[in-house]
């Protein structure tokens, strides 16, 4: 049996888009149950089934908790056909068969399970047979040369890229569009992102500049700031932070990009040691996404660096109350307090997973805080009792940026 689950989807494999640093929250319940057969409806509190067997109907219910004097009611329209009370709990499911009166059709039936205060736990209305049309099967993508216009070339490439198709290459579609129109903004941006994700920075920069140029030819403040942000990111990876800063800042003119763009601006402020301005910009980033865990972590770093430890600790407590697994913030708490209990809390939650230490060390490095990155990697290597090569590689890189030969 393969369990398939999805969130923010119409169906498990139907993906949706998520922006940089965006946080989405969801709850899923995996519930064992018994004695029901095919479940007709369920909540986190109860599950029910209704089955017609000849001239009788079988009513079944199961609860996930304890509900004394639980009420089970079967209606046909406004008429109550059956009502019973039982002490519901996971060890005691409900199962009763009743005769159907003449003239009652399944479409009129409704089953309701309520607690003794008459708060509904679950209900189900008979829906009749499913007469929905069967959707058409998915169609294979056309060959790029057989697609008539660039819009469809971009959308096809984007779909193939999003679904990581095993046999189609999205760049075939982007490049065909660029062959027809070298100034196509979206396809240049798509190709720039493609190379950026693969660390082909020179190629990425070429395409992203080709995207930004026509985007800003008529209006220097374009409607869409994504190519500006992507170009800033590409330039930052190449060490060109001065020009990167300019493009990140221009991207902040678009509301949809203010959270990640101001975050990136604040990182560069930290790199050039302008911490008061970094704090101003990280607050602007958080004003657009108060749940951005990376931005919250960066703010605690800046507050500590500014000597505002009390504010930092207060913020840390607030962050941890919402996300107990923000390891970067927990490390900041340890750095501020120098308390072994706080260090042990971090190492316990992180489960000696050296990869988690690396990820947060890289967050420090992205804002120029290499010493903290080295310290976190040393803590991770010691806690995991390993000499993991990539951790040592990153530590060497951090030390080289600190001009330390060791």
């Amino acid at each position: 049996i393969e369990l398939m689950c999805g969130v923010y989807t119409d169906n498990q494999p139907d993906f949706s888009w998520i922006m940089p640093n965006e946080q989405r929250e969801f709850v899923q319940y995996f519930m064992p149950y018994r004695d029901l057969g095919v479940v007709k409806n369920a909540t986190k509190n109860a599950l029910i089934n209704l089955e017609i067997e000849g001239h009788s109907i079988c009513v079944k219910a199961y609860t996930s908790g304890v509900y004394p004097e639980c009420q089970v009611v079967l209606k046909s329209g406004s008429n109550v056909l059956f009502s019973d009370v039982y002490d519901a709990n996971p060890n005691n499911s409900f199962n009763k068969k009743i005769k159907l009166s003449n003239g009652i059709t399944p479409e009129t039936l409704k089953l309701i399970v309520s607690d003794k205060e008459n708060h509904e736990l679950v209900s189900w209305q008979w829906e009749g047979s499913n007469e929905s049309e069967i959707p058409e099967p998915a169609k294979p993508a056309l060959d790029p040369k057989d697609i008539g216009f660039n819009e469809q070339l971009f959308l096809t490439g984007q779909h193939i890229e999003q679904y990581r198709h095993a046999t189609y290459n999205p760049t075939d579609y982007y490049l065909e569009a660029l062959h027809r129109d070298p100034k196509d903004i979206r396809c240049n941006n798509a190709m720039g992102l493609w190379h950026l994700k693969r660390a082909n920075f020179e190629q990425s920069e070429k395409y992203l500049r080709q995207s930004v140029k026509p985007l800003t030819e008529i209006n220097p403040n374009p409607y869409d700031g994504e190519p500006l942000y992507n170009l800033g990111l590409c330039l930052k990876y190449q060490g060109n932070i001065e020009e990167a800063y300019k493009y990140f800042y221009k991207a902040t003119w678009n509301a949809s990009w203010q959270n990640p763009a101001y975050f990136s601006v604040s990182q560069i402020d930290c790199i050039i040691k302008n911490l008061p301005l970094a704090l101003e910009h990280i607050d602007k980033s958080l004003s657009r996404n108060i749940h951005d865990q990376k931005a919250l972590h960066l703010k605690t770093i800046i507050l500590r660096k500014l000597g505002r430890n009390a504010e930092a600790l207060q913020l840390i407590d607030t962050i941890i109350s919402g996300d107990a697994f923000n390891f970067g913030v927990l490390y900041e708490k340890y750095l501020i307090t120098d308390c072994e209990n706080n260090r042990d809390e971090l190492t316990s939650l992180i489960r000696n997973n050296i990869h988690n230490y690396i990820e947060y060390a890289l967050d420090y490095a992205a804002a120029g805080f290499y010493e903290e990155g080295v310290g976190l990697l040393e803590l991770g290597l010691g806690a995991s009792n390993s000499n993991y090569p990539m951790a040592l590689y990153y530590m060497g890189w951090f030390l080289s940026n600190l001009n330390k030969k060791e």
Side-chain angles (χ1 to χ4, degrees), residues 254-354:
N254 296 98
S256 59
W257 286 94
Q258 283 182 350
N259 165 229
Y262 273 124
F263 172 74
S264 297
V265 166
S266 183
Q267 284 182 317
I268 295 178
D269 290 331
C270 291
I271 291 171
I272 62 177
K273 311 299 183 185
N274 193 339
L275 293 178
L277 189 58
L279 183 60
E280 178 183 330
H281 285 141
I282 204 61
D283 280 337
K284 288 180 180 292
S285 173
L286 285 166
S287 73
R288 305 301 300 183
N289 180 7
I290 193 61
H291 299 295
D292 181 348
Q293 297 300 314
K294 281 180 174 286
L296 288 166
H297 178 209
L298 183 57
K299 183 172 181 178
T300 64
I301 300 172
I302 296 168
L303 288 172
R304 175 176 59 82
K305 287 287 189 177
L306 289 170
R308 294 160 63 172
N309 289 349
E311 289 178 64
L313 287 172
Q314 185 177 12
L315 176 61
I316 287 168
D317 288 340
T318 301
I319 296 168
I320 293 173
S321 69
D323 183 358
F325 294 93
N326 189 324
F327 300 132
V329 166
L330 290 171
Y331 183 55
E332 281 298 305
K333 187 175 183 179
Y334 166 58
L335 291 178
I336 293 170
T337 63
D338 195 26
C339 174
E340 289 186 4
N341 289 339
N342 291 331
R343 180 200 62 196
D344 294 343
E345 179 186 10
L346 168 63
T347 56
S348 174
L349 285 174
I350 213 166
R351 295 177 293 111
N352 297 331
N353 187 332
I354 191 61

Side-chain angles (χ1 to χ4, degrees), residues 35 66 69 80 103 111 137 141 147 163 175 196 227 236 242 248 255 271 287 330 365-367 384 400:
D35 306 329
V66 177
E69 301 176 39
V80 176
L111 178 61
I147 294 177
Y163 279 71
L175 291 173
L196 183 63
K236 182 172 183 278
E242 184 175 347
F248 282 139
I271 291 171
S287 73
L330 290 171
S384 60
S400 70

Side-chain angles (χ1 to χ4, degrees), residues 9 26 69 118 155 186 190 209 280-281 305 340 346 372 380 399:
T9 67
F26 61 92
E69 301 176 39
N118 205 34
L155 292 173
R186 291 199 295 178
R209 288 192 185 279
E280 178 183 330
H281 285 141
K305 287 287 189 177
E340 289 186 4
L346 168 63
E372 287 85 346
L399 289 168

Side-chain angles (χ1 to χ4, degrees), residues 16-245:
S16 58
W17 300 101
I18 190 166
M19 295 288 286
N21 298 6
E22 179 184 349
Q23 175 176 304
R24 293 184 180 180
E25 296 181 5
F26 61 92
V27 176
Q28 293 181 329
Y29 295 94
F30 292 83
M31 296 174 59
Y33 64 91
R34 47 179 284 191
D35 306 329
L36 286 189
V38 179
V39 175
K40 295 300 190 296
N41 198 17
T43 67
K44 67 177 181 178
N45 301 315
L47 308 89
I48 51 177
N49 185 17
L50 203 62
E51 295 179 350
I52 293 180
E53 301 174 356
H55 297 289
S56 300
I57 189 164
C58 190
V59 178
K60 300 179 180 181
Y62 178 85
T63 63
S64 59
V66 177
Y67 297 95
E69 301 176 39
C70 187
Q71 305 171 55
V72 181
V73 178
L74 179 63
K75 291 183 177 182
S76 175
S78 59
N79 298 323
V80 176
L81 301 180
F82 169 81
S83 180
D84 201 355
V85 175
Y86 83 112
D87 292 328
N89 62 72
N91 291 321
N92 182 24
S93 57
F94 183 89
N95 189 339
K96 285 200 175 179
K97 185 180 290 188
I98 63 172
K99 289 186 178 181
L100 277 177
S101 303
N102 292 332
I104 293 178
T105 60
E107 287 78 7
T108 66
L109 297 176
K110 184 176 183 179
L111 178 61
I112 306 168
V113 177
S114 307
D115 63 17
K116 64 181 179 181
E117 283 83 26
N118 205 34
H119 298 138
E120 184 177 297
L121 300 178
V122 66
S123 65
W124 182 65
Q125 176 81 45
W126 194 283
E127 299 171 344
S129 59
N130 187 352
E131 298 179 355
S132 301
E133 293 185 7
I134 299 175
E136 292 186 13
K139 297 177 180 178
L142 295 174
D143 186 270
K145 289 183 170 49
D146 294 332
I147 294 177
F149 52 99
N150 275 16
E151 181 82 8
Q152 196 61 39
L153 282 166
F154 168 74
L155 292 173
T156 303
Q158 185 185 57
H159 176 79
I160 291 169
E161 186 174 4
Q162 184 187 23
Y163 279 71
R164 301 176 183 174
H165 202 284
T167 57
Y168 288 91
N169 188 346
T171 61
D172 292 342
Y173 295 84
Y174 301 145
L175 291 173
E176 173 64 25
L178 292 175
H179 174 73
R180 300 177 189 182
D181 179 7
K183 292 186 176 183
D184 188 294
I185 294 169
R186 291 199 295 178
C187 289
N188 271 310
N189 183 62
M191 285 300 302
L193 260 182
W194 174 269
H195 286 291
L196 183 63
K197 292 173 182 177
R198 289 155 180 80
N200 300 325
F201 299 124
E202 290 185 5
Q203 281 290 94
S204 174
E205 181 182 346
K206 182 189 77 171
Y207 283 110
L208 290 172
R209 288 192 185 279
Q210 288 173 346
S211 178
V212 167
K213 185 177 179 181
L215 185 68
T216 55
E217 274 181 354
I218 297 175
N219 189 340
N221 307 310
Y223 180 81
D224 182 14
E226 182 186 351
L228 296 164
Y229 175 83
N230 291 338
L231 180 54
L233 200 59
C234 179
L235 292 168
K236 182 172 183 278
Y237 281 136
Q238 296 178 86
N240 187 352
I241 60 171
E242 184 175 347
E243 193 176 11
Y245 196 91

